[in-house]
Amino acid sequence: AQKVTQAQTEISVVEKEDVTLDCVYETRDTTYYLFWYKQPPSGELVFLIRRNSFDEQNEISGRYSWNFQKSTSSFNFTITASQVVDSAVYFCALSESSGGGADGLTFGKGTHLIIQP
Amino acid sequence: ETGVTQTPRHLVMGMTNKKSLKCEQHLGHNAMYWYKQSAKKPLELMFVYSLEERVENNSVPSRFSPECPNSSHLFLHLHTLQPEDSALYLCASSQQGARTDTQYFGPGTRLTVL
């Protein structure tokens, strides 16, 4: 079963519009972390945010904001007043605390965001 | 300036070739990772090293062989690859290798197997 679902494969908006990228996750752990990464055409995954499961406060960083709702297992990402430089693939990822040792992240399939000038 | 570098950025190889991918992190981290990113598939974790010891190997074919000589360097040795191995290979590092650490990624190596 897919643990991180990004149902929007591709979104295209005109510059200055607001856009929300959806992320729904699945876990049995009570302690877990959620992440968002941005992947521009250059390929590097750029870390945007990390949120633990006990902190449901929404976060705002400039034009970026995140809405974490445990009741719906969602961690959505909103870009306000989008710009062409925001065009990229955005990944939501989950890390669960159960088990021992190091582990990688479980990623969603990503949402390709296109901002048109 | 990125804290994780990868070389080469692009690689084309035949199925009988042997090549290696290199990753170096300048963040003072203790854990390093290899991921594979294929078209239209989620990123897949391949290998994890924590303090230079392999912690996880997610059933990756033996034609991929990792090496971690120290906490700053990670290699992926490739031999007798298949065309379906063509992908973007991403390296990452994290502070301790704990499941909840933030991972920082390099720019990737775009591999094409002919």
Side-chain angles (χ1 to χ4, degrees):
Chain A
Q2 192 170 351
K3 289 193 171 184
V4 180
T5 302
Q6 295 179 256
Q8 304 149 309
T9 304
E10 184 174 290
I11 300 175
S12 181
V13 300
V14 177
E15 197 172 21
K16 297 183 183 178
E17 286 185 12
D18 299 347
V19 59
T20 296
L21 310 181
D22 298 333
C23 174
V24 174
Y25 62 91
E26 177 187 332
T27 179
R28 295 180 180 178
D29 283 6
T30 55
T31 303
Y32 52 89
Y33 284 75
L34 295 161
F35 301 79
W36 275 95
Y37 285 86
K38 173 183 180 179
Q39 187 176 39
S42 60
E44 178 180 353
L45 279 167
V46 178
F47 167 71
L48 297 178
I49 190 171
R50 170 177 173 258
R51 176 52 56 87
N52 78 58
S53 52
F54 296 106
D55 183 2
E56 285 194 72
Q57 268 195 326
N58 290 334
E59 179 145 346
I60 298 174
S61 176
R63 295 184 296 107
Y64 294 172
S65 62
W66 290 269
N67 182 0
F68 177 31
Q69 293 199 344
K70 289 179 75 170
S71 60
T72 56
S73 297
S74 65
F75 186 43
N76 296 338
F77 172 34
T78 297
I79 301 175
T80 304
S82 60
Q83 300 176 3
V84 173
V85 293
D86 295 327
S87 297
V89 181
Y90 289 85
F91 291 93
C92 180
L94 167 71
S95 178
E96 296 159 294
S97 64
S98 61
D103 201 359
L105 298 168
T106 300
F107 284 86
K109 292 186 176 181
T111 296
H112 185 197
L113 178 62
I114 301 168
I115 309 297
Q116 300 177 7
Chain B
E1 180 186 351
T2 179
V4 182
T5 58
Q6 291 185 241
T7 55
R9 294 293 309 276
H10 300 272
L11 178 62
V12 179
M13 59 187 290
M15 290 191 285
T16 58
N17 291 157
K18 289 184 180 181
K19 297 286 184 182
S20 295
L21 310 184
K22 178 182 177 182
C23 175
E24 184 173 0
Q25 60 94 2
H26 312 274
L27 300 169
H29 288 167
N30 291 315
M32 297 186 78
Y33 309 75
W34 279 116
Y35 284 86
K36 175 183 179 183
Q37 186 178 26
S38 305
K40 300 182 180 179
K41 290 178 70 175
L43 278 83
E44 303 169 69
L45 176 66
M46 299 177 72
F47 300 103
V48 181
Y49 278 83
S50 180
L51 295 172
E52 300 139 52
E53 291 204 7
R54 187 189 298 179
V55 179
E56 299 231 357
N57 174 358
N58 290 330
S59 302
V60 177
S62 59
R63 57 185 182 269
F64 295 92
S65 174
E67 177 189 2
C68 188
N70 55 63
S71 60
S72 298
H73 294 87
L74 183 66
F75 295 89
L76 187 63
H77 304 300
L78 316 171
H79 64 97
T80 58
L81 294 191
Q82 305 297 313
E84 59 265 28
D85 296 323
S86 297
L88 180 67
Y89 289 85
L90 290 159
C91 173
S93 71
S94 70
Q95 187 70 45
Q96 298 295 342
R99 289 170 174 261
T100 54
D101 280 354
T102 297
Q103 294 180 24
Y104 295 89
F105 287 79
T109 294
R110 175 71 63 186
L111 174 67
T112 302
V113 181
L114 302 176

